[in-house]
Amino acid sequence: MSEAPFLSAAHGHRWVEVYVDPPSAAELYITGAPIPEGTIVVKTSVEDDDGQPGTFPGPVFVMQKLAEDADPERGDWFYAIHWADPTPRQREVLGGPIYWRGTSPKVDYCFDACHDIYDRGLGGLTPSSLVPR
C-alpha cells in the first residue's frame, strides 16, 4: 500500500510500509470503505536513522479483521506486535524479543491510543496518508 516507507509517529517514530491482504481489500483500505472479515493489515518497520529509514528492523504490526461481534470493544480487530530482535535499548525496556497479540493488555494501546480515534466507518483503520507523522 505504501509507495515508499514513511515516518510514523504513531508507530514509535519508525519508518513503516503497509501491506493489505487480500488484494481486493486494498482498494477498500484506500477509500475508507468497511473492511471485510479476514482482511490482514501488516506494517513492517525500520528504526529511524537521523531522519531517514535505517537498516535496523523495527517491530512488525499486524491487524486482522475478525467476524462481527468477535471483539466489539476493539471494533472486531485482532492486534499483534512482533519484534524478534529489538534494539539494545529497547531490549532492556521490553525484556527481550516480543510477541504481543490478541487479548494481551500490551496491545491495548494499539486500539486505545490510535485506532479508536479514527472514523468508525474505517473499522479502526486510516489510510496511510492520514497517519500522524
Side-chain angles (χ1 to χ4, degrees):
M1 297 303 306
S2 328
E3 292 182 22
F6 62 90
L7 191 59
S8 173
H11 294 90
H13 196 71
R14 294 180 180 92
W15 293 83
V16 300
E17 291 197 73
V18 181
Y19 302 87
V20 176
D21 190 61
S24 59
E27 185 66 27
L28 300 172
Y29 178 84
I30 292 168
T31 64
I35 301 296
E37 176 184 336
T39 298
I40 297 174
V41 179
V42 175
K43 290 188 178 180
T44 60
S45 70
V46 295
E47 296 295 299
D48 181 63
D49 185 8
D50 199 26
Q52 297 295 318
T55 58
F56 200 97
V60 175
F61 303 91
V62 179
M63 293 175 62
Q64 181 178 19
K65 185 64 173 178
L66 304 172
E68 187 173 345
D69 294 325
D71 190 350
E73 290 184 17
R74 291 185 180 168
D76 299 323
W77 283 98
F78 170 91
Y79 296 90
I81 304 171
H82 178 72
W83 199 0
D85 189 20
T87 64
R89 182 176 59 85
Q90 287 296 330
R91 185 176 290 274
E92 283 183 35
V93 171
L94 301 169
I98 61 169
Y99 183 43
W100 299 333
R101 63 192 177 282
T103 57
S104 168
K106 296 187 177 189
V107 295
D108 283 348
Y109 80 90
C110 297
F111 183 75
D112 294 342
C114 296
H115 291 279
D116 191 36
I117 64 172
Y118 299 130
D119 179 348
R120 302 308 294 160
L122 294 176
L125 291 176
T126 192
S128 295
S129 61
L130 301 179
V131 171
R133 298 182 181 179

